[in-house]
């Protein structure tokens, strides 16, 4: 018995691809025709290829329809892992792209894969075809694929890339999940304060207006703040929206991003946190690139453009130039003043024993643990801090509103 891959159409014209185990091509054709399918192509397939096709996922066009337009990190992780699996089983890259394109959830990625296949059939290499889609495939993707094509080990390198993408996506999800609760708590607290300021304080102010008493300074201040917010609410909202819009557009500029990043890095506590995130990404990329056989200078150039931070990109550029003139990597790392002595020492040891990629991997794990610990402590500390803050503010409001009531009760008594 042999395994055959087939391509057919149903009565509605939809393409269906799959595999069948049979004694001959004729048997496969007869089976497909008995299911009212129009046979387009039947090819012999090895058992390894069949297993890879099965592991890659279902390959029926009618079964998997695009669910969204954009290309998410999960889309790219799945594509990379499936492509590595199929290539590792000996399936050609064109056939792999065809199979994967039938099951992607992203409409945009589906169109990109079709274009990749078309460009490669026209004579472009895989990385050249990918470079025409910089909005989908980063420099890291393109250069790792180029390295894999040059070494003839594309499947193994794609596996490393998939592992990197999976870890990076999981790390980002962990950060986002840790920050969701503090943000919700902050929004709820702000909403409660606004409700007290806009609704409760004016009610007390109307009550006090009916009595001939001199209001305490604290009460007058609270009522004045409430009146100001209620009177200029529209202008305040418009001002906030306009400010966010201007700031957002400024941060889209290179100079704006650089200024913001420099400001963040100088903050006492947040600066160390964001520095750790940037170094974590840099060390992860360097580990993946060097392990994939990319030369150190080339790896630094890729990291410069894909690290996602202008300040860090400039530091990497300076490090790259020092390495280009013959310096060891640890020397410009130390001179930059951005990396901790521990990082410098580990890179030094990695260079001496020829295990630089493993040392970058250890640095990456250290900073992942650091960020995880920081977020855990931050979320555990944030709740009592915001609750104490809310208690103090609301307490001041309550005291300010009840002081005149005490005066009124004394007059009445």
């Amino acid at each position: 018995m042999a395994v055959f891959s087939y391509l057919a159409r149903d009565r509605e014209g939809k393409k269906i691809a799959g595999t069948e185990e049979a004694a001959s091509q004729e048997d496969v054709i007869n089976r497909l025709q008995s299911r009212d399918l129009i046979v387009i192509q039947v090819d012999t397939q090895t058992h390894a290829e069949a297993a890879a096709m099965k592991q890659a996922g279902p390959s029926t066009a009618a079964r998997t329809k695009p669910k969204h337009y954009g290309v998410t990190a999960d889309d790219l992780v799945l594509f990379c892992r499936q492509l590595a699996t199929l290539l590792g089983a000996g399936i050609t890259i064109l056939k792999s792209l065809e199979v994967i394109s039938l099951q992607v959830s992203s409409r945009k990625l589906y169109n990109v894969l079709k274009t990749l296949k078309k460009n490669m059939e026209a004579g472009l290499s895989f990385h050249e075809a990918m470079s025409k889609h910089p909005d989908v495939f980063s420099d890291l993707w393109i250069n790792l694929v180029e390295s894999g094509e040059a070494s003839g080990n594309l499947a193994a390198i794609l596996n490393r890339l998939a592992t990197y993408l999976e870890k990076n996506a999981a790390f980002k999800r962990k950060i986002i999940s840790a920050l969701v609760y503090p943000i919700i708590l902050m929004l709820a607290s702000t909403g409660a304060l606004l409700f007290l300021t806009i609704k409760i304080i004016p009610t007390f102010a109307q009550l006090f207006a009916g009595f001939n008493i001199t209001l305490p300074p604290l009460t007058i201040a609270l009522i004045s703040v409430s009146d100001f917010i209620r009177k200029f609410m529209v202008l305040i909202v418009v001002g906030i929206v306009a400010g966010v819009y201007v700031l957002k557009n400024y941060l889209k500029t290179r100079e704006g991003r650089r200024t913001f990043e420099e400001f963040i890095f100088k903050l006492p506590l947040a600066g160390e946190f964001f520095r750790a995130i940037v170094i974590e990404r840099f060390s992860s990329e360097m580990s993946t690139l060097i392990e994939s056989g990319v030369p150190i200078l080339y790896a630094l150039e890729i990291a410069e453009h894909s690290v996602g931070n202008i300040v860090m990109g400039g530091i990497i550029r300076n490090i790259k130039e020092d390495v280009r003139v013959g310096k060891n990597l640890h020397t410009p790392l130390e001179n930059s003043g951005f990396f901790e002595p521990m990082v410098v020492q580990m890179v030094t040891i990695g260079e001496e024993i020829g295990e630089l990629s493993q040392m970058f991997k250890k640095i990456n794990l250290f900073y992942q643990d650091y960020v995880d610990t920081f977020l855990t402590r931050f979320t555990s500390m944030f709740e009592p801090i915001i609750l104490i803050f809310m208690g103090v503010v609301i307490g001041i409001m309550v005291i300010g509103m009840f002081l005149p009531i005490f005066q009124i009760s004394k007059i009445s008594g």
Side-chain angles (χ1 to χ4, degrees):
M1 298 287 282
V3 180
F4 297 89
S5 63
Y6 65 83
L7 184 64
R9 290 184 185 273
D10 59 17
R11 293 302 177 185
E12 296 177 356
K14 294 177 180 177
K15 280 187 178 181
I16 298 175
T19 59
E20 286 279 343
E21 189 170 354
S24 64
Q25 273 189 339
E26 289 73 16
D27 288 345
V28 177
I29 294 172
N30 291 333
R31 290 182 193 178
L32 296 176
Q33 290 176 343
S34 67
R35 300 204 296 257
D36 289 332
L37 296 177
I38 302 171
V39 180
I40 300 174
Q41 182 178 348
V42 176
D43 296 317
T44 305
Q45 188 179 50
T46 66
H47 285 279
E49 289 175 339
M53 297 276 280
K54 185 176 180 180
Q55 185 177 349
S59 55
T60 304
R63 183 174 177 180
T64 305
K65 295 181 180 180
K67 299 176 182 177
H68 55 271
Y69 179 77
V71 181
T72 66
D74 290 337
D75 291 328
L76 290 176
V77 168
L78 184 59
F79 164 64
C80 189
R81 184 65 73 189
Q82 289 174 327
L83 184 58
T85 300
L86 293 171
L87 293 178
I91 300 174
T92 65
I93 192 167
L94 290 176
K95 181 66 176 178
S96 299
L97 290 175
E98 181 181 343
V99 171
I100 296 172
S101 66
L102 294 175
Q103 52 188 293
V104 294
S105 299
S106 166
R107 185 177 300 277
K108 182 175 181 179
L109 184 57
Y110 171 82
N111 293 331
V112 168
L113 295 184
K114 288 296 184 183
T115 306
L116 287 178
K117 185 171 180 291
K118 182 179 179 181
N119 287 335
M120 291 181 68
E121 288 173 340
L124 293 182
S125 64
F126 188 30
H127 79 272
E128 289 173 338
M130 293 176 71
S131 65
K132 293 182 176 294
H133 304 278
D135 56 329
V136 176
F137 302 109
S138 65
D139 289 341
L140 184 67
W141 267 86
I142 296 167
N143 287 282
L144 279 178
V145 168
E146 183 179 6
S147 175
E149 288 179 308
S151 63
N153 203 19
L154 183 57
I157 286 182
L158 284 173
N159 268 319
R160 292 195 190 104
L161 177 59
T163 301
Y164 163 79
L165 294 174
E166 288 167 350
K167 290 181 178 179
N168 193 44
F171 185 62
K172 286 182 179 179
R173 283 195 295 268
K174 185 183 293 185
I175 293 176
I176 293 172
S177 298
L179 295 177
V180 166
Y181 176 69
I183 291 173
I184 292 176
L185 190 59
M186 180 67 77
L187 292 175
S189 302
T190 303
L193 292 177
L194 284 175
F195 176 77
L196 290 172
T197 304
I198 295 173
K199 291 294 184 181
I200 304 301
I201 292 179
T203 302
F204 277 92
Q206 291 177 0
L207 174 65
F208 299 149
F211 294 90
N212 187 20
I213 60 172
T214 302
L215 296 177
L218 178 58
T219 306
I220 295 174
L222 290 172
I223 293 174
S224 299
V225 171
S226 176
D227 289 340
F228 177 83
I229 292 176
R230 292 172 64 214
K231 184 177 181 180
F232 298 103
M233 174 63 74
V234 175
L235 290 178
I236 292 173
V237 172
V238 171
I240 292 174
V241 172
V244 170
Y245 176 78
V246 171
L247 180 62
K248 184 178 179 180
N249 282 275
Y250 176 66
L251 293 179
K252 287 182 179 179
T253 65
R254 185 174 181 83
E255 186 59 34
R257 280 186 59 194
R258 181 189 297 277
T259 303
F260 176 74
E261 290 169 2
E262 290 174 347
F263 169 75
I264 289 293
F265 285 136
K266 290 178 182 178
L267 294 177
L269 192 61
E272 291 301 316
F273 172 69
F274 284 104
R275 184 191 301 266
I277 291 178
V278 171
I279 296 177
E280 185 277 335
R281 179 162 186 176
F282 168 70
S283 58
S284 179
E285 290 187 358
M286 290 297 292
S287 172
T288 303
L289 289 164
I290 296 173
E291 191 176 19
S292 300
V294 178
I296 185 68
L297 274 174
Y298 205 13
L300 288 169
E301 185 173 347
I302 297 168
E304 175 190 344
H305 296 100
S306 58
V307 75
N309 187 280
I310 292 179
V311 172
M312 184 63 168
I315 292 171
I316 296 173
R317 188 184 313 116
N318 294 333
I319 293 172
K320 179 185 66 177
E321 294 305 319
D322 285 343
V323 173
R324 192 189 303 277
V325 297
K327 294 183 180 179
N328 291 323
L329 179 59
H330 70 270
T331 302
L333 283 177
E334 183 177 12
N335 294 338
S336 70
F338 190 84
F339 299 91
E340 294 181 359
M342 181 271 295
V343 176
V344 177
Q345 290 300 320
M346 292 186 72
V347 170
T348 303
I349 295 171
E351 288 182 305
E352 290 176 352
I353 65 176
E355 293 289 344
L356 192 56
S357 65
Q358 294 303 314
M359 284 301 172
F360 272 119
K361 190 174 293 186
K362 293 181 184 296
I363 293 170
N364 174 252
L365 292 175
F366 170 81
Y367 278 102
Q368 281 193 353
D369 290 340
Y370 174 89
V371 171
D372 190 31
T373 303
F374 181 93
L375 288 173
T376 302
R377 292 177 179 175
F378 172 76
T379 51
S380 63
M381 292 173 57
F382 185 83
E383 182 177 2
I385 290 174
I386 196 67
L387 291 178
I388 291 172
F389 172 76
M390 284 289 295
V392 171
V393 173
I394 293 176
I396 292 173
M397 288 184 171
V398 170
I399 293 172
M401 292 300 102
F402 275 87
L403 282 177
I405 294 178
F406 295 148
Q407 292 183 9
I408 293 171
S409 62
K410 288 180 181 179
I411 295 174
S412 300

